[in-house]
């Protein structure tokens, strides 16, 4: 392909020479633009050089001078010469006539100039690549490294206990997803930290109250002279507060055990209706004292579950319904079964729960009664234990309540 181009270029020079009126070849060619990056050598019919041009390179190294007299004579006789005198350096010989005289035109590429242009082009490309690459690196540093530095700094702050961190980002790529996940994690940790603080405060409050009562009444017994009735009353209060402490510690231990991920279940088939009836009978002193009516509508159904744990569920829920219901009201307990699950409902006519507090009742130590009235016994752990037991059994519990109109509790448990 390169040789064909050289032949075409040589023929254009010959055509220009043949069409010109000048008899001096050297003067004519010096007055026109000869092919750049090519060496042109012209020999006359006596095999003598009449013109030489190095294509503007200024090089003294002339590949065309390496042609022999035999090759020059071949071209003068009308032949076309193609040869390679050096690796990659072609020489083309073309015949032409001027003023009835034969001439031989030899063309070869000017390698030095071509290489210089290639080097210049490569250097230019390299500089452009370096400049563009540097700009891309700067953009990458701003677009990628900066948010990573923000995440690193936020992680350090989180390690120091500061969970109120929120990194603003509008990105939709992987870094944006990572930032959103980090913000979500920080929010969850902040919530857990707040729950931990509240838990410690609640435990302290729940324990401190009975301890203060026990300490106060014990001092009164030691320092005051009192009749037997007062002494018995003080001792009864001390006993009740001691039992209250025992219940708190027992419930804390039970809740801690239930919250272990690998908490062992001991399921076996048993009659759920019979268990509910036993729970109602066991709580008779409570609802009889308030002259309440218990309405039971129970289907006979056998489920596979941990009987002891589920018994704790019914005791806690029924105790709450009795505790927060006025006298001379009723509590309705129903048990129905479908093909795959049982549904237990407990409905009372108690004081109800405000809508804004329904989602918080599962939190340990949370009480709807903000005053924590000691006359209403309880530690606020019962519903937390109930929720955990239902979750372990892969069931579901829902509470619907309206303030002043009672509460409906719905529990769904798989049969097997």
């Amino acid at each position: 392909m390169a040789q064909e181009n050289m032949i075409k270029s040589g023929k254009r020079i010959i055509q220009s020479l043949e069409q010109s009126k000048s008899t001096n070849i050297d003067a004519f060619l010096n007055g026109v633009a000869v092919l750049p990056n090519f060496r042109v050598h012209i020999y006359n019919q006596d095999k003598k050089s009449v013109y030489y041009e190095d294509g503007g390179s200024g090089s003294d190294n002339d590949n065309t001078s390496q042609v022999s007299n035999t090759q020059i004579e071949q071209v003068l006789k009308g032949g076309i010469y193609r040869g390679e005198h050096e690796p990659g350096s072609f020489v083309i010989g073309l015949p032409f006539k001027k003023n009835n005289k034969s001439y031989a035109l030899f063309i070869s590429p000017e390698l030095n100039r071509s290489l210089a242009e290639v080097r210049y082009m490569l250097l230019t490309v390299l500089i452009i690549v370096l400049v563009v690459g540097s700009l891309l690196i700067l953009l990458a540093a701003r677009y990628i490294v900066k948010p990573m530095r923000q995440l690193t700094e936020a992680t350090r702050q989180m390690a120091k206990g500061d969970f109120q961190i929120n990194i603003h980002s509008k990105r939709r790529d992987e870094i944006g997803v990572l930032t959103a996940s980090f913000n979500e994690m920080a929010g969850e940790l902040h919530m857990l930290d707040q729950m931990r603080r509240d838990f410690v405060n609640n435990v302290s409050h729940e324990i401190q109250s009975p301890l203060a009562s026990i300490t106060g009444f014990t001092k009164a017994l030691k320092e005051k002279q009192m009749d037997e009735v007062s002494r018995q009353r003080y001792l009864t209060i001390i006993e009740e507060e001691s039992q209250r402490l025992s219940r708190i510690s027992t419930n804390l231990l039970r809740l801690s055990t239930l919250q272990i991920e690998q908490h062992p279940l001991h399921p076996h088939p048993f009659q759920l209706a019979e268990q509910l009836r036993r729970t109602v009978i066991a709580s008779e002193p409570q609802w009889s004292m308030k002259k309440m009516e218990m309405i039971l509508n129970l289907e006979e159904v056998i489920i596979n579950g941990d009987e002891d744990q589920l018994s704790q569920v019914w005791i806690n829920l029924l105790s709450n319904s009795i505790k927060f219901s006025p006298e001379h009201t009723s509590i309705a307990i129903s048990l129905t079964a479908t093909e795959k699950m049982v549904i237990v409902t407990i409905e009372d006519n108690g004081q109800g729960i405000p809508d804004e507090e329904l989602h918080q009742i599962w939190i340990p130590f949370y009480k709807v009664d903000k005053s924590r009235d000691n006359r209403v016994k309880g530690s606020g752990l019962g519903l937390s234990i109930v929720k955990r037991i239902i979750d372990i059994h892969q069931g579901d519990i829902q509470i619907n309540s309206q303030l002043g109109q009672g509460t409906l509790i719905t529990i769904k448990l798989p049969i097997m």
Side-chain angles (χ1 to χ4, degrees):
M1 186 67 181
Q3 293 184 25
E4 296 300 326
N5 290 333
M6 290 170 62
I7 292 175
K8 290 179 181 179
S9 300
K11 288 181 177 180
R12 285 198 295 270
I13 295 175
I14 292 172
Q15 184 178 7
S16 299
L17 286 169
E18 291 176 343
Q19 292 177 354
S20 69
K21 297 180 180 180
S22 173
T23 59
N24 190 330
I25 294 176
D26 186 70
F28 171 76
L29 291 176
N30 284 330
V32 299
V34 184
L35 294 173
N37 302 328
F38 285 98
R39 292 172 180 167
V40 179
H41 211 148
I42 300 177
Y43 296 90
N44 61 15
Q45 57 189 8
D46 296 327
K47 304 177 186 176
K48 293 182 180 179
S49 175
V50 296
Y51 178 79
Y52 172 69
E53 170 60 43
D54 63 3
S57 68
S59 173
D60 294 331
N61 182 20
D62 178 16
N63 289 336
T64 58
S65 64
Q66 297 179 10
V67 295
S68 63
N69 289 336
T70 303
Q71 295 162 351
I72 295 174
E73 184 175 356
Q74 174 187 344
V75 175
L76 288 173
K77 290 181 179 181
I80 296 178
Y81 173 74
R82 305 182 187 209
E84 183 178 3
H85 290 185
E86 293 181 0
S89 175
F90 294 97
V91 178
I92 301 297
L94 299 172
F96 71 93
K97 290 190 176 186
K98 179 70 175 176
N99 299 327
N100 296 322
K101 295 181 179 180
S102 296
Y103 293 89
L105 172 70
F106 288 89
I107 301 175
S108 64
E110 174 50 66
L111 295 179
N112 291 337
R113 184 178 179 90
S114 299
L115 291 174
E117 290 189 355
V118 170
R119 285 194 297 269
Y120 177 78
M121 181 179 65
L122 291 177
L123 181 62
T124 303
V125 171
L126 181 61
I127 292 174
I128 293 174
V129 169
L130 289 175
V131 172
V132 173
S134 300
L135 292 175
L136 291 176
I137 290 173
L138 291 175
L139 290 174
R142 181 177 180 84
Y143 193 72
I144 299 177
V145 177
K146 185 177 179 180
M148 296 305 294
R149 287 179 178 174
Q150 290 178 338
L151 285 170
T152 302
E153 181 60 29
T155 303
R156 291 196 183 101
Q157 295 180 22
M158 188 178 293
K160 295 177 181 178
D162 181 9
F163 302 114
Q164 292 181 305
I165 302 172
N166 186 46
I167 302 176
H168 298 284
S169 176
K170 297 181 180 179
R171 300 171 62 137
R172 294 293 182 268
D173 56 3
E174 287 78 3
I175 294 180
V177 174
L178 176 61
T179 302
S181 299
F182 181 87
N183 289 335
E184 183 179 357
M185 178 184 68
E188 293 289 337
L189 288 175
H190 175 66
M191 183 179 67
L192 288 174
D193 183 62
Q194 187 62 44
M195 289 176 62
R196 178 185 62 82
R197 295 173 186 270
D198 293 342
F199 184 83
V200 172
N201 292 335
N202 289 328
V203 170
S204 300
H205 182 279
E206 292 295 335
I207 293 178
Q208 188 63 34
S209 178
L211 284 177
S213 297
I214 292 172
T215 302
F217 286 112
T218 302
K219 287 181 179 179
L221 287 171
K222 290 173 61 178
E223 297 174 359
K224 294 181 179 180
Q225 296 294 329
M226 61 185 67
D227 55 28
E228 183 62 21
V229 174
S230 298
R231 191 177 72 85
Q232 288 296 329
R233 184 166 60 87
Y234 282 10
L235 288 173
T236 300
I237 293 174
I238 292 173
E239 181 183 14
E240 290 176 348
E241 293 300 315
S242 299
Q243 291 173 351
R244 181 181 172 192
L245 275 176
S246 177
R247 287 194 301 272
I248 292 173
S249 61
T250 300
N251 285 334
L252 280 174
L253 180 60
R254 180 180 290 113
L255 183 60
S256 177
T257 304
L258 290 171
Q259 287 177 336
I260 299 175
E261 289 296 330
Q262 300 298 327
H263 177 75
L265 281 174
H266 303 286
H268 66 274
F270 67 95
Q271 272 282 357
L272 182 57
E274 181 62 27
Q275 185 183 58
L276 290 171
R277 280 191 286 265
R278 288 199 304 266
T279 303
V280 172
I281 294 172
S283 62
E284 183 178 2
Q286 302 175 43
W287 53 267
S288 294
M289 186 180 300
K290 300 180 76 171
K291 299 179 177 58
M292 300 180 68
E293 180 184 5
M294 307 300 292
I295 303 173
L296 304 182
N297 183 17
L298 309 176
E299 290 184 18
E300 299 298 326
V301 58
I302 297 177
I303 70 167
N304 189 47
D306 192 315
E307 189 172 2
D308 291 337
Q309 288 186 18
L310 289 175
S311 177
Q312 186 67 46
V313 169
W314 316 129
I315 291 172
N316 287 356
L317 293 178
L318 187 55
S319 296
N320 279 348
S321 294
I322 296 172
K323 185 189 306 180
F324 295 105
S325 294
E327 295 182 353
H328 303 287
T329 57
S330 63
I331 296 177
I333 303 175
S334 72
L335 168 60
T336 57
T338 64
E339 184 179 351
K340 295 183 178 180
M341 67 175 56
V342 295
I343 302 173
V344 179
T345 63
I346 302 176
E347 185 174 10
D348 62 47
N349 299 296
Q351 64 188 40
I353 304 171
D355 290 339
E356 63 274 11
E357 299 190 36
L358 278 174
H359 67 285
Q360 302 181 62
I361 59 177
W362 311 115
I363 300 174
F365 291 108
Y366 185 82
K367 291 184 178 180
V368 178
D369 175 25
K370 298 297 190 297
S371 65
R372 296 181 181 270
D373 189 350
N374 289 333
R375 291 174 298 179
V376 180
K377 297 179 181 180
S379 61
L381 292 171
L383 288 180
S384 300
I385 293 173
V386 166
K387 182 69 165 64
R388 185 56 185 162
I389 292 174
I390 296 298
D391 289 342
I392 291 174
H393 282 79
Q394 298 181 352
D396 180 63
I397 180 169
Q398 299 291 333
I399 294 185
N400 297 313
S401 183
Q402 291 185 356
L403 198 60
Q405 298 185 20
T407 301
L408 171 64
I409 305 173
T410 304
I411 303 100
K412 296 179 180 179
L413 293 170
I415 291 180
M416 300 298 289

